Amino acid sequence: MQQLLKWTLETIREEESCFSWMEEYRYEWAPLVKSAVSQVIEGKTVLVVTDESRKWFGKYILNGINDLCKNRPLLPFYQLTECFPNLQNINSTQDIQLLEDMLDLSYPNGYYIWYIGRGDHPYTKLAYRNHDNFLWVLDEEVQNSFALRSADPLLDIKLLQLYKLFDMTISEALFGDIDLES
């Protein structure tokens, strides 16, 4: 069983699609992915939330995460805006608390939010409330998040590469091939 950081580096280097940019960011990536994957293995539900510009990516995640060709258990990943279409109307702290109460009732094993988008988007009011959330934040440095730049001409490719790495990490952890404990 390999350590996550070592496995991540080897996987980055084996990737054929110019993924070398990720080598220097693996130290920021590993603890975030360790937390996110550990929560999946514990049985928590993942609620995917994106800003408008990354809506396509949220759909991509949900179409790919439970592909039956992966020969692994199906995982509870859902798009929060599909479960709660009024998300864009949540503004106040009280509204956020009511939503969190509903989510606590709906997902008794727990849940976390996987947010992908701008750091100044209104959805971050919800996403930033819990340090266990999985945050891919654009154009802002936020603690416990993976930072990306919206002006990066390769942003979409990087998002796809990161998703692939995350998905592979889930598979390796589910099958006991990497150690999330160390």
Side-chain angles (χ1 to χ4, degrees):
M1 185 179 306
Q2 290 190 63
Q3 290 183 323
L4 176 62
L5 197 57
K6 182 177 185 235
W7 176 86
T8 300
L9 178 60
E10 290 173 3
T11 303
I12 290 167
R13 288 181 175 167
E14 288 172 6
E15 183 63 33
E16 296 176 9
S17 61
C18 299
F19 200 31
S20 60
W21 67 270
M22 184 59 184
E23 278 194 41
E24 66 184 270
Y25 296 104
R26 71 185 185 277
Y27 293 104
E28 290 90 23
W29 172 260
L32 301 172
V33 135
K34 177 181 177 180
S35 172
V37 172
S38 294
Q39 291 181 82
V40 169
I41 292 182
E42 291 168 10
K44 288 187 178 181
T45 297
V46 181
L47 300 172
V48 178
V49 179
T50 67
D51 63 11
E52 289 78 18
S53 298
R54 258 67 46 200
K55 199 173 201 175
W56 67 270
F57 186 58
K59 289 179 182 179
Y60 181 86
I61 291 167
L62 293 174
N63 284 328
I65 200 77
N66 283 318
D67 184 341
L68 296 174
C69 295
K70 293 180 181 170
N71 295 317
R72 68 179 189 204
L74 298 178
L75 304 169
F77 279 68
Y78 305 102
Q79 195 146 15
L80 183 55
T81 55
E82 296 296 319
C83 302
F84 186 73
N86 293 320
L87 186 62
Q88 74 277 359
N89 298 326
I90 297 285
N91 294 316
S92 70
T93 303
Q94 182 181 358
D95 291 343
I96 293 171
Q97 186 60 53
L98 288 171
L99 174 60
E100 288 175 335
D101 290 345
M102 180 200 73
L103 295 173
D104 288 338
L105 290 171
S106 299
Y107 305 107
N109 288 340
Y111 69 92
Y112 70 90
I113 292 172
W114 180 4
Y115 175 73
I116 304 121
R118 290 186 337 267
D120 62 352
H121 193 277
Y123 290 166
T124 59
K125 288 179 187 173
L126 176 64
Y128 291 171
R129 285 174 59 98
N130 188 330
H131 70 275
D132 288 334
N133 288 338
F134 192 33
L135 307 172
W136 295 8
V137 179
L138 282 82
D139 302 327
E140 264 188 47
E141 297 291 327
V142 177
Q143 188 174 1
N144 295 325
S145 74
F146 193 76
L148 297 157
R149 299 283 165 231
S150 60
D152 186 340
L154 299 175
L155 176 62
D156 291 351
I157 293 168
K158 288 179 178 181
L159 289 172
L160 294 170
Q161 290 171 325
L162 290 171
Y163 164 73
K164 183 178 179 183
L165 182 60
F166 176 65
D167 189 54
M168 291 169 65
T169 306
I170 290 172
S171 289
E172 293 296 310
L174 281 171
F175 298 123
D177 294 331
I178 57 173
D179 181 14
L180 295 176
E181 298 303 318
S182 59

